[in-house]
Amino acid sequence: MTEIESYIINFAKKFDAFFINLLPKDKFSKRLHSAMNYSLTVGGKRLRPVFLVEISKIFGVSIKRAFRSAAALEFIHCYSLVHDDLPAMDDDDLRRGHFTCHKKFDDATAILVGDAFQSLAFEILSDKKTHPNPEIRCRLINQLSKASGALGMVGGQMLDLEAEKKKLNIKEILLLQKLKTGELFRFSCIAGPILSGEKDLKTFTKFADNLGMAFQIKDDLLDVEGDENMMGKKTKKDLSRGKETLISFFGKENAKRKSEELIKNSTKLLKPFGKKARKLIELTNYVISRNK
Amino acid sequence: MTEIESYIINFAKKFDAFFINLLPKDKFSKRLHSAMNYSLTVGGKRLRPVFLVEISKIFGVSIKRAFRSAAALEFIHCYSLVHDDLPAMDDDDLRRGHFTCHKKFDDATAILVGDAFQSLAFEILSDKKTHPNPEIRCRLINQLSKASGALGMVGGQMLDLEAEKKKLNIKEILLLQKLKTGELFRFSCIAGPILSGEKDLKTFTKFADNLGMAFQIKDDLLDVEGDENMMGKKTKKDLSRGKETLISFFGKENAKRKSEELIKNSTKLLKPFGKKARKLIELTNYVISRNK
């Protein structure tokens, strides 16, 4: 295991302990409570949270504040996974080697788990524990709601479902991926500056655009090349569904080269931050070196 | 048609014109855009919005501000209807005499429409157009997210689904209904005070508790007695599913009497507001006099 891999695993452990603790303490429906809990405890790399927290550190934001915003973001990500796995959507039985929520419970429960995660994300951000300044909390909520809505993640998932029925051109694939994955990555990169009171989000928006696209190319490459056991989920899904990806367009080698170029663009933007950005640069490089 | 009925219809017309205008202007997925639009244009009584706006008036809140909060609330209500109608949930083909979203489009689209409505609700509330004071926006978001989450509406819907498989006692039925319908009613009654900067929400929380329960009893009565054509949806649903309601517990006559008592409790709380509360009292009485 590389140093950065163990760094991320270590982060995920700490983050998960904090994250799961944000689930509602009361429980009116035990079933809903266990299904929410189950959907979190099956884990995840927590890549979006680790980016959010690392960038926050550069801006001098306290870990505790960064963790709360990262948790809100991860609740949105988790809800999208639970809903995307449903039979009506991508119809996946496994995620990270575990049964998906609707397989372990049922479809209705999975729909409600996703719905409750989304409310919880905004509840967390609206609380003064996230930041004492309500203006900053509102900025976070505004950005996260836009990133996840009809012109963000949800819009991207809709385009992705439509893509099973029609051939997309390269412009359409880029838009789909920017919405479906790019928007949440954008939030993970701008939350730190927002938490610090910074108004200018240009640098980290650019950073995120490059990062998000590189992440998506790597995900598509892993889908084509990846080992099903290593990935803990079905691979070669896009291929079997006849979906166009950047790889089916450019070919594997060009796609790989493109992702390296994107990561170079990202890390270049971090130069002004000098040594403070060392860990973030390692993380950024990891996005395309990872094997799962 | 009674005076209050035409007042509500007139309100709904004005509100709908404003409300639909809050849908995203851009559209990346035409399908998602039309499905969101469809789910709003099939209408609704807009009962929660009219309460929110009437109470806001008593507190001197401008109509424009009240409308935005009411729209956020109604987006949450609309998302819950779209998700509740899904085959995995209540499996309804018709609502207000029109095909439900998943019937008109498909299940995946309906799931995404609901998800996007939820994000949109919080996007609206986080915007400074809702109120210039970010502290007040955060209070609204905090209350609406709690009202709709695992310890609110979503938790109630889960209990409702579980109720198909087990007999509930009276305490459990009351909890289910408080969560499933009561919590959004609570928001509709406290948003006005919050928008005015009022800290003490006790009176309108009590008002809402009585109102929400009366509304639910009336809904159950309409389900038992109501005309399918008049209601525009299947009636006698609870009966056919063997679900316990307050009516199966108390009997029709006692339930009716209980609802009248609850409405009396509500209107009594409005006495200190004198003439200013006249319209609100009419509205409150309408909740149990309506025939659909």
Side-chain angles (χ1 to χ4, degrees), chain A residues 168-181:
Chain A
L168 301 185
N169 61 37
I170 181 75
K171 228 179 106 185
E172 290 168 318
I173 296 176
L174 288 173
L175 174 65
L176 183 168
Q177 294 183 340
K178 174 158 178 34
L179 298 178
K180 191 177 172 179
T181 1

Side-chain angles (χ1 to χ4, degrees), chain A residues 29 83 115 118-119 126 142 162, chain B residues 29 83 115 118-119 126 142:
Chain A
S29 161
H83 280 187
D115 291 346
Q118 181 168 192
S119 313
S126 67
N142 196 258
E162 292 178 277
Chain B
S29 160
H83 280 188
D115 291 345
Q118 182 168 192
S119 313
S126 67
N142 196 259

